[in-house]
Amino acid sequence: MTDRSTKSAKVAASLRRRHAAERRFRLYGMGAVAFALACLGLLFFTVVSKGYTAFQQTYVKLPIYFDAGDIDPKNSGDPKVWAKANYQGMAKKSLRGLFPDVKKRRDKRALYKLASSGAAYELRAIVRENPDLVGTTTDVWVTADDDVDMFIKGYIRGDVAENERRISNKEMAWIEALVADGRLEKRFNTTFFSAGDSREPELAGVWGAAAGSFFTLLVTLALAFPIGVAAAIYLEEFAPKNKLTQVIEININNLAAVPSIVFGLLGLAVFLNFIGMPRSAPLVGGVVLALMTLPTIIIAGRAAIKSVPPSIREAALGLGASRSQVVFHHVLPLAMPGVLTGTIIGMAQALGETAPLLMIGMVAFIVDIPGGFTDPATVLPVQIYLWADSPERAFVERTSAAIMVLLGFLIMMNLTAVWLRKKFERRW
Amino acid sequence: MMTAETKTTNEAHMDEDGGLTDDTVVSMNLPHLTFRTRNVEVFYGETQALFGIDLDIFRNQVTALIGPSGCGKSTYLRCLNRMNDTIDGCCVTGIIELDGDDVYDKALDPVHLRARVGMVFQKANPFPKSIYDNTAYGPRLHGLADSKADLDDVVEGSLTKAGLWDEVKDRLDAPGTGLSGGQQQRLCIARAIAVEPDVILMDEPCSALDPIATARIEELMDELRENYTIVIVTHSMQQAARVSQRTAFFHLGNLVESGDTEQIFTKPSDQRTQDYITGRFG
């Protein structure tokens, strides 16, 4: 009896210890999750708080006189002649008209800089779309210079010494006059979503990089998905299990861990120097990223195929299905959610990849929006890198905004993965 | 491949076939031989799983393979439709003939063989598709139905034969995996007979079912025997006694004895069989 009571006491004592250990372990887990969430929250907070202002841009309303004598002096009606007219001059004339007191050359130059150098293109576009405006004076909203934009957004402060800020006292006075006149206001920044890169922050946009990313990922997907799935199916369903396939398996796993810049060097050596493919092209970038993504897709695909219950294979084989019929009728459809999840994770990785693309020239300053697979292009993460490297204050908020766009795409891809998994999921 | 010897035996059987009217006289009259296996040995890599099995399986009979776990009865069953081919390192030697054709002939496509020898597994394994698609899978695979109406007939016929039609006729589009365990197993039987095989192999088809569902399947086996040859692996001696006409007792990879079920269960000639059926081991 004493034995029993001591035993029960021992169990009770150890129980307390076990419960305490369990509570501790749970706390660790909750702490880890909370820490991860806090880091994520901090990341989002810094990015969004720095970047949200980039979605607005300061515009200035200028009364522009579309002088028929300037635009089409010989009255030819030729659009080419119209396109060559001095629209920047019209903007300057308008600014002079708004501030007639400015007489000195130097002051005038400063005054002209209130409007962006891109104003000329905006005015040209307006004339091209509304030829009736020629000969009239119309109020037109044109993009303001990035320094004006920064001042309006409060990033350039008026309360520091004049020689320490990029806006002089005179310019401040002009800006305040324009604001008082209702001629200067922040509006939604369409340029940011429709333009390519530019040296002028107010004219720079992510669309060029987004298009580059799109073409690059299209190539990556077209190569990596079929090859990866085919390799996974072959290795899992058909290949004999011997030394050779073991070596292949180890190598695929190793390949997944190879630093991505190595793939860039491979692309440079093989695709650019040996085969002679075009530099900076989404085609080459896509091929390089496909090589990088392949191991991920193969590993995820094999895991998904392995998780299909063998009873399904036996059922189909027992009915007289051939091995490829078993794979394509049953195994692959059932493995699809896992395969797609792996593919999208691989693609998301590829979307965020910079290093291998530096090697094949996709780090260039490219203003034009790429229209195809061989046009020079850059991609979103490289664009972020380039802007983060630029000295202008206005590029800081654009960097954060571009990060938001990139994160937006990543979240969209992950949601697609979740949706696809739900859609293809079958119970058994 | 036909050896001269089998040819003569088969012809002899054919002659008698016409005179067969009553199942009860089957064992006396030597019915049509479906499977003839001689000296079958199976190796999994280095391990030998079966030792020189000589066993005949006759048409329109239920042959039960009994024996303790790991005795090789499932291995033997899976030789009959070459399901062992899918296992790496599995090697089968000896003679296995289906109606005189060598089952392991290189020229014989296992796909063709499995269209003639269907299989029902231990755990009901319907495809995660509708009841209709489950049943129609085999006929579609082999192109047995010429039209949609034809296929509908095959599906209805198979489900009826499997005793499932009345329970599922209103929900053929429902997933097969949503049925109860016993219904799922009958769906698997329907799926197997939709291909119209000559032989149905059943690997412990009732081991995961409750007694009522088991009784349904056993009844079904008795009905199916009229049109098909059935080979069943079972752990339940009562089941073997109830459903089979012939029984083969396996022990440690050897065929200890085979013969009419009645004789095996009443007057076994081997002491090990006696011990097993009386529950002394296994």
Side-chain angles (χ1 to χ4, degrees):
Chain A
M1 266 347 242
T2 42
D3 270 348
R4 270 213 183 151
S5 61
T6 47
K7 181 184 155 200
S8 132
K10 271 183 183 167
V11 170
S14 79
L15 262 184
R16 254 200 311 283
R17 221 172 38 244
R18 277 184 268 177
H19 285 312
E22 196 177 315
R23 263 197 306 279
R24 230 174 16 246
F25 184 73
R26 265 195 221 170
L27 274 178
Y28 291 152
M30 274 150 69
V33 170
F35 180 72
L37 283 180
C39 288
L40 192 69
L42 188 70
L43 173 85
F44 275 104
F45 174 75
T46 44
V47 167
V48 172
S49 64
K50 273 188 183 168
Y52 79 99
T53 44
F55 296 128
Q56 286 201 315
Q57 162 70 32
T58 309
Y59 289 84
V60 55
K61 186 164 76 174
L62 296 179
I64 302 281
Y65 175 51
F66 292 104
D67 191 347
D70 277 355
I71 291 172
D72 195 0
K74 287 178 189 151
N75 205 8
S76 61
D78 185 358
K80 274 183 196 159
V81 174
W82 286 32
K84 278 185 187 153
N86 180 11
Y87 293 101
Q88 198 65 39
M90 291 177 211
K92 286 176 183 173
K93 206 188 274 177
S94 166
L95 278 164
R96 275 204 305 273
L98 286 173
F99 298 98
D101 307 338
V102 180
K103 293 285 185 239
K104 275 197 247 164
R105 265 180 84 85
R106 194 198 230 173
D107 290 345
K108 275 188 193 165
R109 259 213 307 279
L111 178 66
Y112 298 156
K113 272 174 65 186
L114 289 181
S116 164
S117 56
Y121 307 110
E122 292 164 20
L123 293 178
R124 188 173 69 189
I126 288 170
V127 171
R128 189 166 48 215
E129 269 157 39
N130 310 295
D132 303 340
L133 289 178
V134 176
T136 64
T137 302
T138 318
D139 272 342
V140 177
W141 286 97
V142 299
T143 310
D145 188 62
D146 58 315
D147 286 335
V148 177
D149 186 42
M150 287 298 100
F151 180 73
I152 293 290
K153 285 172 181 167
Y155 292 121
I156 294 177
R157 289 167 55 180
D159 55 3
V160 292
E162 188 177 8
N163 58 357
E164 279 176 23
R165 56 176 136 88
R166 284 179 62 87
I167 299 269
S168 66
N169 285 342
K170 268 184 200 153
E171 287 166 324
M172 264 170 68
W174 296 332
I175 291 168
E176 270 150 23
L178 285 171
V179 171
D181 214 14
R183 288 190 173 274
L184 204 60
E185 70 179 42
K186 285 191 285 182
R187 301 174 145 209
F188 182 69
N189 190 356
T190 49
T191 313
F192 183 73
F193 293 102
S194 60
D197 199 5
S198 171
R199 291 283 180 229
E200 302 294 333
E202 74 272 16
L203 301 178
V206 287
W207 183 240
S213 275
F214 173 75
F215 286 123
T216 307
L217 284 188
L218 216 58
V219 174
T220 305
L221 184 68
L223 282 176
F225 182 68
I227 298 176
V229 173
I233 290 174
Y234 178 75
L235 286 174
E236 207 50 54
E237 295 284 324
F238 295 100
K241 304 271 178 287
N242 56 24
K243 280 263 156 45
L244 181 68
T245 45
Q246 254 171 19
V247 169
I248 291 174
E249 186 173 343
I250 291 167
N251 275 302
I252 288 172
N253 291 344
N254 281 340
L255 220 50
V258 166
S260 54
I261 193 142
V262 176
F263 287 103
L265 284 168
L266 175 95
L268 174 65
V270 176
F271 300 125
L272 296 190
N273 291 346
F274 184 68
I275 300 181
M277 287 164 122
R279 223 158 269 271
S280 306
L283 179 65
V284 186
V287 174
V288 168
L289 290 179
L291 290 178
M292 201 198 75
T293 315
L294 261 179
T296 313
I297 296 183
I298 295 176
I299 292 169
R302 289 187 67 176
I305 289 168
K306 212 178 268 180
S307 70
V308 174
S311 65
I312 296 290
R313 291 185 184 85
E314 284 193 326
L317 280 173
L319 285 171
S322 67
R323 286 174 88 180
S324 61
Q325 282 170 328
V326 172
V327 168
F328 289 106
H329 295 174
H330 301 287
V331 176
L332 199 53
L334 290 173
M336 221 37 180
V339 172
L340 288 175
T341 310
T343 305
I344 289 177
I345 287 171
M347 295 303 288
Q349 237 172 29
L351 175 64
E353 200 54 70
T354 327
L357 302 179
L358 302 184
M359 288 291 126
I360 53 159
M362 290 190 84
V363 72
F365 171 73
I366 288 149
V367 178
D368 291 330
I369 289 155
F373 295 105
T374 50
D375 289 351
T378 189
V379 292
L380 278 168
V382 173
Q383 187 68 77
I384 289 167
Y385 165 73
L386 286 172
W387 283 349
D389 224 22
S390 302
E392 286 88 349
R393 179 62 185 80
F395 272 129
V396 174
E397 60 172 25
R398 275 168 176 76
T399 306
S400 293
I403 292 173
M404 275 192 259
V405 172
L406 181 60
L407 287 178
F409 278 122
L410 286 175
I411 290 170
M412 256 159 58
M413 286 171 82
N414 285 334
L415 286 180
T416 316
V418 172
W419 176 74
L420 283 173
R421 195 164 38 200
K422 279 264 176 303
K423 185 168 185 286
F424 284 98
E425 209 160 50
R426 291 215 187 94
R427 283 177 300 120
W428 52 71
Chain B
M1 257 205 254
M2 263 188 186
T3 59
E5 187 218 343
T6 33
K7 209 169 198 171
T8 46
T9 12
N10 274 341
E11 275 166 3
H13 290 157
M14 302 267 203
D15 293 338
E16 290 163 350
D17 232 353
L20 281 177
T21 44
D22 194 348
D23 280 333
T24 51
V25 294
V26 153
S27 54
M28 279 147 28
N29 286 351
L30 270 185
H32 181 95
L33 190 65
T34 299
F35 270 111
R36 173 177 169 273
T37 61
R38 290 292 176 271
N39 197 26
V40 173
E41 310 220 312
V42 176
F43 301 85
Y44 292 119
E46 300 288 299
T47 342
Q48 187 166 2
L50 285 181
F51 300 85
I53 307 294
D54 298 338
L55 185 63
D56 292 331
I57 288 158
F58 297 101
R59 186 195 273 177
N60 296 15
Q61 285 195 351
V62 177
T63 305
L65 311 181
I66 60 170
S69 294
C71 66
K73 53 196 187 311
S74 285
T75 301
Y76 176 77
L77 190 76
R78 294 166 70 94
C79 289
L80 299 180
N81 68 343
R82 288 180 63 174
M83 280 300 274
N84 282 336
D85 286 16
T86 57
I87 299 167
D88 275 331
C90 180
C91 171
V92 180
T93 64
I95 300 168
I96 302 176
E97 287 174 354
L98 170 60
D99 292 331
D101 299 331
D102 183 1
V103 164
Y104 277 81
D105 187 353
K106 286 269 183 290
L108 179 75
D109 193 335
V111 165
H112 196 211
L113 172 70
R114 289 174 198 147
R116 290 169 68 187
V117 184
M119 190 158 188
V120 176
F121 296 85
Q122 179 171 5
K123 194 171 167 291
N125 53 0
F127 300 126
K129 298 169 185 253
S130 70
I131 293 168
Y132 184 94
D133 286 341
N134 260 292
T135 320
Y137 182 70
R140 276 182 182 146
L141 197 63
H142 300 294
L144 298 181
D146 299 324
S147 63
K148 178 80 174 76
D150 225 10
L151 193 60
D152 289 346
D153 288 346
V154 172
V155 169
E156 179 174 348
S158 310
L159 286 170
T160 310
K161 277 189 212 156
L164 195 60
W165 176 251
D166 289 332
E167 289 161 61
V168 301
K169 64 183 173 201
D170 302 323
R171 47 172 176 150
L172 290 174
D173 290 331
T177 42
L179 298 172
S180 75
Q183 287 173 324
Q184 284 191 17
Q185 196 59 290
R186 275 181 281 148
L187 177 60
C188 291
I189 293 173
R191 185 175 67 184
I193 57 187
V195 186
E196 287 173 27
D198 305 329
V199 186
I200 303 174
L201 309 178
M202 298 187 175
D203 192 351
E204 297 180 38
C206 303
S207 64
L209 302 181
D210 63 52
I212 294 167
T214 302
R216 292 283 330 245
I217 304 252
E218 286 178 4
E219 253 170 56
L220 185 59
M221 273 187 251
D222 215 44
E223 288 162 21
L224 291 175
R225 186 162 65 87
E226 284 176 22
N227 299 309
Y228 305 93
T229 307
I230 295 175
V231 187
I232 174 173
V233 166
T234 177
H235 267 298
S236 155
M237 260 130 0
Q238 291 87 336
Q239 183 170 59
R242 281 193 299 265
V243 300
S244 71
Q245 284 70 53
R246 282 175 67 82
T247 298
F249 173 62
F250 282 69
H251 184 52
L252 299 174
N254 292 296
L255 177 63
V256 174
E257 108 172 77
S258 68
D260 284 354
T261 300
E262 208 183 314
Q263 178 243 315
I264 293 273
F265 278 92
T266 50
K267 303 189 288 282
S269 54
D270 195 288
Q271 185 58 38
R272 286 170 293 176
T273 319
Q274 174 76 37
D275 289 349
Y276 184 70
I277 58 171
T278 51
R280 233 161 278 168
F281 75 92

